[in-house]
Amino acid sequence: QSQAQYLVRTEGQRIIIEGMAGDVRLYDMTGRVMTQLHANDYTEITVPVTGVYVLQVGNQFEKMIIK
């Protein structure tokens, strides 16, 4: 069983997801859903303020630090 490969990176206050099509959620540190969308091959999410967020891509979770 092969696992999908995708790339997540930050540029300023943007989170960029490449190579992934599927459901994406961005949470703040209180657990509130900030953004919920269906990603395409290239997706950008702009966060309102710097800080720590949790990005859910499919069933994978990743901590994002936006400076």
Side-chain angles (χ1 to χ4, degrees), residues 27-32 51-54 63:
Y27 301 90
D28 66 12
M29 289 311 293
T30 67
R32 184 175 49 154
V52 179
Y53 295 87
V54 174
K63 182 167 74 170

